Amino acid sequence: MSSITENTANTMKNLEEFLGDLTILGSLQGFRYFQPWLRGREELLLSVANEDIGWQPASFPSSPDISPSDWDRRSDTPLNTLSPPELPLSWRSRPACGQSDGGLPPASPCDRELSNPGPGCTLFLVGCYARYGQPYAWVRSAHRSLPWAREGDGDTRDTPLKLDSTAHWHSNAVPLWDVVAELVGLCTWPPPHNPFSVDLPHLHSLPPTLRFLASGATAGFLQRLLVHGDRGRPYCTAVAMELEAVNRLHINALLEIQRERERARERGRER
């Protein structure tokens, strides 16, 4: 097999794995910092929270660039009125906030986008198209860390983001969760220690059968992340702890279903 044929085969294999993870993640709900929606086989919409509502400013280390009290005073300022100098230094200086070269629009142009990110969220589109040979991410709504992505600027929003994860695709094919983790770190303030934190109260609120199915699917994704991902990522320890909690919830939901079935059988015998 020639080197060109081998490289093509490896690229197609990596694309298929990415698309498979796209399908898995797109079927899940209940993450704390993002909400995924699968749109077709090649696209995933990702609504990412702009702020961690559970963050306590008093416990966050002070910064010479912006203080927690300054951020609180600006929390009521419309996102599109914040200028780049008001952003934390880590956001203003990171190259990932820029744009890529033009000529790489998604299959779903911005001017046809009907999805709404919801209050306090930013919408992204993650696409993995065979014609590009790698995944890309596009912003779909305004955000303070993306000052160039203004409302109504369809040309800008149809240009993919410069992300470390997608930039390194051809030298080291990265999994979907690296792209998601980078988008959450770019969008959510302060950047969460674990971008894949699960909203356990939401899972607890589901009826037992739905809780059993949702927790099982979420546990499967987290386990895949740990088994096939880079264990050197700083969030892996937190993901492992989340996996234990989701597994306990999954088992408890199964036990609750079994108890309910047993009670139903007893009621049937009494009749």
Side-chain angles (χ1 to χ4, degrees), residues 20-262:
D21 290 333
L22 210 69
T23 301
I24 293 173
L25 183 60
S27 65
L28 302 179
Q29 302 292 316
F31 290 99
R32 182 177 176 183
Y33 300 111
F34 66 89
Q35 194 78 7
W37 289 278
L38 188 66
R39 185 161 68 183
R41 182 174 182 268
E42 299 177 316
E43 294 183 339
L44 179 77
L45 284 172
L46 204 67
S47 181
V48 182
N50 293 337
E51 297 182 39
D52 182 357
I53 58 175
W55 173 54
Q56 299 296 326
S59 64
F60 193 76
S62 60
S63 167
D65 188 72
I66 183 171
S67 67
S69 60
D70 290 338
W71 190 269
D72 287 343
R73 287 196 297 271
R74 293 171 183 158
S75 62
D76 295 329
T77 305
L79 296 184
N80 58 5
T81 65
L82 292 175
S83 59
E86 293 182 280
L87 305 177
L89 182 60
S90 60
W91 283 3
R92 297 207 306 263
S93 61
R94 58 180 300 172
C97 295
Q99 295 171 250
S100 179
D101 296 330
L104 297 171
S108 303
C110 183
D111 58 4
R112 300 179 187 174
E113 185 60 66
L114 300 178
S115 302
N116 191 325
C121 297
T122 300
L123 189 65
F124 296 92
L125 172 66
V126 179
C128 185
Y129 310 119
R131 69 178 183 270
Y132 292 157
Q134 72 164 82
Y136 286 105
W138 294 264
V139 65
R140 281 293 173 263
S141 62
H143 187 273
R144 59 171 71 90
S145 69
L146 307 171
W148 43 264
R150 300 300 184 186
E151 294 290 346
D153 191 352
D155 291 339
T156 297
R157 296 188 186 186
D158 282 339
T159 301
L161 293 165
K162 278 184 178 177
L163 301 177
D164 291 337
S165 51
T166 55
H168 298 158
W169 170 267
H170 290 292
S171 60
N172 181 24
V174 298
L176 172 62
W177 44 80
D178 279 3
V179 178
V180 173
E182 188 171 359
L183 289 175
V184 172
L186 169 67
C187 186
T188 306
W189 177 259
H193 177 63
N194 176 18
F196 301 97
S197 180
V198 178
D199 188 353
L200 291 175
H202 168 74
L203 293 181
H204 272 290
S205 69
L206 298 176
T209 301
L210 288 179
R211 191 189 320 149
F212 173 75
L213 295 173
S215 59
T218 302
F221 172 78
L222 295 179
Q223 185 171 1
R224 178 170 173 76
L225 186 157
L226 291 174
V227 171
H228 298 284
D230 183 358
R231 295 302 296 267
R233 298 294 185 188
Y235 54 75
C236 280
T237 300
V239 169
M241 297 176 62
E242 291 271 350
L243 178 58
E244 292 181 6
V246 175
N247 278 333
R248 287 195 298 268
L249 183 65
H250 182 63
I251 294 173
N252 289 336
L254 175 60
L255 295 176
E256 186 173 347
I257 292 171
Q258 292 174 337
R259 288 193 294 267
E260 181 58 35
R261 288 180 177 176
E262 185 62 31

Side-chain angles (χ1 to χ4, degrees), residues 5-34:
T5 304
E6 185 177 355
N7 289 338
T8 301
N10 288 335
T11 298
M12 295 305 298
K13 177 178 177 292
N14 293 333
L15 289 175
E16 287 298 325
E17 289 181 356
F18 195 95
L19 289 171
D21 290 333
L22 210 69
T23 301
I24 293 173
L25 183 60
S27 65
L28 302 179
Q29 302 292 316
F31 290 99
R32 182 177 176 183
Y33 300 111
F34 66 89

